[in-house]
Amino acid sequence: MNQRWRIIALWLIPLAMGILLFWQVLGSSEVKNLKSSSPAAVPMNTAVGRMSYGRFLDYIESGRVTSVDIYEGGRNAVVEAVDPDLDNRVQRLRVDLPGLAPELINTLKTEGISFDIHPVRTTPPALGILGNLLFPLLLIGGLILLARRSNSMPGGPGQAMQFGKTKARFAMDADTGVKFDDVAGVSEAKQDLQEVVTFLKQPERFTSVGAQIPKGVLLIGPPGTGKTLLAKAIAGEAGVPFFSLSGSEFVEMFVGVGASRVRDLFKRAKENSPCLIFIDEIDAVGRQRGAGIGGGNDEREQTLNQLLTEMDGFEGNSGIIIIAATNRPDVLDSALMRPGRFDRQVTVDAPDIKGRLSILKVHSRNKKLEESLSLESIARRTPGFTGADLANLLNEAAILTARRRKDHITLTEIDDAVDRIIAGMEGQPLTDGRSKRLIAYHEVGHALVGTLVKAHDPVQKVTLIPRGQAQGLTWFSPDEDQTLVSRAQLKARIMGALGGRAAEDLVFGHAEVTTGAGGDIQQVASMARQMVTRFGMSDLGPVSLEGSSQEVFLGRDLMTRSDISDAIAKQIDEQIRRMVKTSYQETIELIKPHRELMDRLVELIIEKETIDGEEFKDVVSKYVDIPDKERTAPIL
Ligand code: ADP
Ligand code: MG
Ligand code: ZN
């Protein structure tokens, strides 16, 4: 359907319904009017009683009826009759008649009863139609007026009626105020994008030698790594306006709007060139067409087609550069990546330790840190944190500092903020009792296994202060280099995760183990499955046995059959089960001889609520030799 028609249709439906509704109300009220006040209606107030037609005929026969007034074309009548029993008193009675039967008239004539037939009086037809139309006409007129008014009043009460207009839907920022200096830890991406700044600032340099300036750049990376910030920085460095719009905004709310938004956006951008268009979450519109359960989304595809058309429609040298961001490049329609569209792709990854340090430097510029607080130690504590996480970390720490009425952020606040970001809000510690002891043994189990298994990450701290969903927590400090994880490390992680349940089992017995290990067990299952199916670390050998069911929602592989036969699936399950079972046995064997040590650790932790890694190691080393952990030294 054509765009304009859609909008008109949208309008017409409620309008028509309104008119119909009012017509009906009007109609029914008119019927009422006819009955009650039209002169042709039965004057009910004068008839005091009712009688049946048969009785009426009897009355006529016995000569009691004195006069008859017939109404509504003979459908009812008011009868005057005398009652000989009551001194010939006159009664007025209403009678329903079967119609204006000639026999009745004849009878009345022969009996000499005076009668009158009152005609049905109607309004003249033309007048009636006018009356019927008047209200709907007023309604339509009113609505048109309303629509006019709201169109001429931007931001007025009628905003919802500006369906296709993008005005409020994309943001234009004449100067973002962000510079490359504000983005840290993504130096490679910055280098790639530096060139885009030059495209915007000095296009002649490229066009003079006949180079085509690229139109689109796709930023790929996990959320919070600074994609939006980078796009803003490009606009800021080049000093051009920044148009931004999120992919999900294209497709929200009303059908047929996405495509017109794209048109409007490009129109505005052309008027303001040179400029930068930033499309966030492009995967929301740019998904592979025709994919997904139940076929494609027509609306989304139209929007995407419009986007592609617009991108093809403007000259490469018109001074507009489009930057799009996504964290799902795998789902994007390949047409988007074609040369002449988003042909440049820049990856923005989570920062390494150096990157984290420089991001921390950027965000601590306006924060008061205690002098002894080293940003390096924070960077070291936060592997896997993105730029947004780090910004959030410093902010949380500053809030905690203010709440504690300190004037400088110290390591304590940083530590608390890290814990809070990773594991959630701190809860109230449990009061001493059986549950608390059980949790203590559970956590000590994790920590002890983590300490005694060589390939496991070292314990950072053990705590009984609840956080988020967890009643107690054991923190390990992960190695900086997480890119390659060995089989021994995975095995160690499985054992570490089983340590909690193993300790419960040993100390409290088979029947007393609790649901507290549910999360651990889930983790174990998923690690074991990956070892078998993805990493080829089982007796089935180095074969990839992943089913293709994970991407069902993308729809690409929906119709392809699973590459795994039932027999193999059974073997996979068998392997996982065996792996988990032997790991559990080994875990039990590992900690069983250290019951005394465990009791000691539990006492300590119940007394102190939290023990840090060093103290934990000290206690353990008095009872048993601790293997050295091999660690990649962080490069700073
Ligand atoms: P994305 O768009 O990749 O999801 P954003 O650019 O929106 O991430 O980042 C959110 C916030 O996190 C930024 O406003 C900034 O404060 C901070 N941030 C993220 N990455 C960086 C970085 N590399 N350098 C500095 N700050 C960053
Ligand atoms: Mg973003
Ligand atoms: Zn646990």
Side-chain angles (χ1 to χ4, degrees):
M1 227 196 289
N2 175 301
Q3 182 65 37
R4 178 137 309 172
W5 272 109
R6 270 205 207 206
I7 291 168
I8 290 174
L10 265 171
W11 264 88
L12 279 181
I13 293 164
L15 199 68
M17 277 172 60
I19 291 172
L20 261 173
L21 199 76
F22 274 103
W23 213 295
Q24 286 231 307
V25 171
L26 213 69
S28 59
S29 71
E30 224 161 39
V31 172
K32 259 187 239 140
N33 282 345
L34 263 175
K35 274 189 185 150
S36 60
S37 62
S38 150
V42 183
M44 277 190 253
N45 42 349
T46 57
V48 283
R50 269 181 166 279
M51 74 176 158
S52 68
Y53 185 56
R55 189 102 173 264
F56 173 48
L57 296 181
D58 286 346
Y59 270 36
I60 294 175
E61 222 165 79
S62 53
R64 288 169 62 173
V65 177
T66 53
S67 81
V68 178
D69 286 272
I70 298 171
Y71 295 95
E72 288 178 23
R75 265 183 290 147
N76 49 53
V78 174
V79 177
E80 265 181 27
V82 289
D83 193 341
D85 295 339
L86 284 171
D87 229 356
N88 277 352
R89 217 177 79 179
V90 179
Q91 285 177 294
R92 291 168 70 86
L93 296 162
R94 246 186 79 153
V95 184
D96 288 331
L97 302 181
L100 205 56
E103 301 91 76
L104 180 64
I105 308 286
N106 284 338
T107 320
L108 291 176
K109 266 188 194 161
T110 46
E111 295 284 330
I113 301 168
S114 77
F115 68 92
D116 195 1
I117 298 175
H118 302 267
V120 182
R121 223 192 284 162
T122 51
T123 27
L127 215 73
I129 290 172
L130 201 74
N132 282 350
L133 279 179
L134 192 67
F135 196 79
L137 278 175
L138 275 175
L139 193 76
I140 295 170
L143 276 174
I144 290 173
L145 261 175
L146 199 78
R148 284 248 180 98
R149 276 238 325 238
S150 63
N151 273 348
S152 60
M153 273 195 323
Q159 253 205 339
M161 292 175 179
Q162 302 183 311
F163 294 139
K165 298 266 187 217
T166 16
K167 285 199 180 69
R169 306 310 307 178
F170 58 78
M172 188 194 130
D173 201 348
D175 178 17
T176 60
V178 181
K179 290 281 157 68
F180 271 145
D181 274 351
D182 300 318
V183 195
V186 282
S187 37
E188 282 156 52
K190 257 163 52 175
Q191 253 167 29
D192 286 350
L193 294 170
Q194 188 70 54
E195 202 181 22
V196 178
V197 175
T198 327
F199 291 151
L200 286 165
K201 261 172 127 172
Q202 302 163 300
E204 330 76 57
R205 254 174 62 183
F206 300 87
T207 49
S208 64
V209 295
Q212 273 284 333
I213 289 176
K215 293 175 184 171
V217 180
L218 185 62
L219 299 178
I220 300 166
T225 45
K227 298 182 293 298
T228 310
L229 198 66
L230 270 170
K232 282 187 180 167
I234 295 168
E237 290 280 342
V240 300
F242 179 79
F243 286 88
S244 68
L245 173 104
S246 162
S248 55
E249 282 170 354
F250 276 138
V251 275
E252 71 182 352
M253 280 223 297
F254 299 111
V255 236
V257 175
S260 78
R261 280 206 180 136
V262 174
R263 259 195 309 272
D264 280 6
L265 174 66
F266 277 81
K267 194 166 147 264
R268 287 279 302 279
K270 277 175 201 161
E271 291 162 9
N272 286 283
S273 89
C275 67
L276 188 148
I277 298 179
F278 179 62
I279 303 175
D280 210 351
E281 302 170 45
I282 192 158
D283 44 295
V285 266
R287 289 210 169 192
Q288 211 166 38
R289 282 169 288 188
I293 289 174
N297 171 340
D298 193 32
E299 166 65 4
R300 191 163 51 70
E301 290 185 5
Q302 276 188 24
T303 311
L304 176 58
N305 288 339
Q306 188 65 44
L307 182 65
L308 296 177
T309 314
E310 292 288 347
M311 284 191 81
D312 292 343
F314 71 85
E315 282 302 305
N317 304 332
S318 63
I320 303 174
I321 289 196
I322 306 161
I323 299 200
T326 182
N327 51 3
R328 300 291 316 266
D330 50 322
V331 305
L332 288 183
D333 198 295
S334 46
L336 272 173
M337 324 274 216
R338 225 196 53 192
R341 293 167 182 166
F342 294 102
D343 47 1
R344 293 200 169 204
Q345 283 138 40
V346 174
T347 309
V348 188
D349 258 332
D352 59 5
I353 188 162
K354 268 187 187 157
R356 293 198 299 274
L357 180 59
S358 47
I359 294 171
L360 285 168
K361 278 182 185 151
V362 168
H363 286 280
S364 59
R365 274 185 212 151
N366 56 356
K367 305 243 171 9
K368 282 189 185 159
L369 301 182
E370 195 189 47
E371 242 159 75
S372 61
L373 178 62
S374 86
L375 292 178
E376 280 96 44
S377 69
I378 306 176
R380 205 169 278 134
R381 255 215 80 180
T382 47
F385 273 47
T386 62
D389 292 333
L390 291 170
N392 183 23
L393 165 65
L394 285 177
N395 191 49
E396 285 282 334
I399 290 173
L400 284 175
T401 309
R403 196 180 295 161
R404 291 172 190 172
R405 299 188 187 287
K406 297 186 184 176
D407 28 283
H408 291 279
I409 301 172
T410 70
L411 195 62
T412 327
E413 281 75 46
I414 297 282
D415 274 342
D416 287 351
V418 172
D419 290 358
R420 187 161 162 185
I421 288 168
I422 297 179
M425 293 277 276
E426 194 173 292
Q428 281 297 314
L430 283 178
T431 44
D432 217 344
R434 190 181 155 82
S435 309
K436 188 160 187 170
R437 294 194 78 75
L438 188 130
I439 293 162
Y441 274 103
H442 179 107
E443 295 309 326
V444 162
H446 283 308
L448 189 58
V449 175
T451 310
L452 296 180
V453 175
K454 186 178 163 67
H456 202 287
D457 290 331
V459 175
Q460 192 200 339
K461 69 177 170 192
V462 190
T463 175
L464 289 187
I465 298 171
R467 241 178 222 288
Q469 302 291 316
Q471 288 297 322
L473 283 163
T474 305
W475 296 79
F476 298 98
S477 26
D479 207 352
E480 177 60 29
D481 184 9
Q482 295 282 346
T483 44
L484 290 176
V485 182
S486 69
R487 184 181 193 153
Q489 276 174 300
L490 287 172
K491 174 82 189 281
R493 284 182 199 172
I494 290 180
M495 285 177 70
L498 288 168
R501 165 56 64 84
E504 286 182 44
D505 202 347
L506 275 174
V507 176
F508 295 86
H510 232 46
E512 299 298 314
V513 296
T514 66
T515 51
D520 300 334
I521 286 167
Q522 231 166 17
Q523 243 181 316
V524 167
S526 121
M527 281 190 281
R529 177 166 291 275
Q530 292 198 38
M531 283 175 77
V532 178
T533 62
R534 277 181 70 184
F535 307 131
M537 292 176 178
S538 72
D539 294 349
L540 299 181
V543 204
S544 168
L545 298 167
E546 276 182 288
S548 42
S549 58
Q550 286 170 349
E551 303 242 310
V552 156
F553 287 99
L554 297 180
R556 272 185 225 172
D557 303 325
L558 188 57
M559 293 308 163
T560 58
R561 65 183 174 78
S562 163
D563 348 336
I564 291 173
S565 70
D566 287 352
I568 294 278
K570 216 173 137 191
Q571 284 186 48
I572 292 173
D573 289 342
E574 179 61 32
Q575 287 291 329
I576 294 171
R577 230 169 54 90
R578 200 190 299 167
M579 192 180 283
V580 174
K581 226 176 143 182
T582 43
S583 300
Y584 189 63
Q585 274 311 318
E586 284 172 45
T587 310
I588 295 262
E589 297 307 322
L590 182 71
I591 58 174
K592 205 175 187 172
H594 306 300
R595 177 62 200 264
E596 207 186 309
L597 166 60
M598 279 165 70
D599 292 344
R600 171 86 195 90
L601 288 166
V602 163
E603 252 160 60
L604 197 66
I605 193 178
I606 285 191
E607 179 195 316
K608 294 182 125 183
E609 306 270 59
T610 302
I611 333 179
D612 69 33
E614 284 309 309
E615 192 176 358
F616 190 88
K617 238 170 92 175
D618 280 350
V619 179
V620 176
S621 64
K622 284 183 194 137
Y623 290 76
V624 56
D625 286 340
I626 299 175
D628 275 340
K629 311 257 176 190
E630 282 162 17
R631 311 280 292 168
T632 348
I635 316 147
L636 261 172

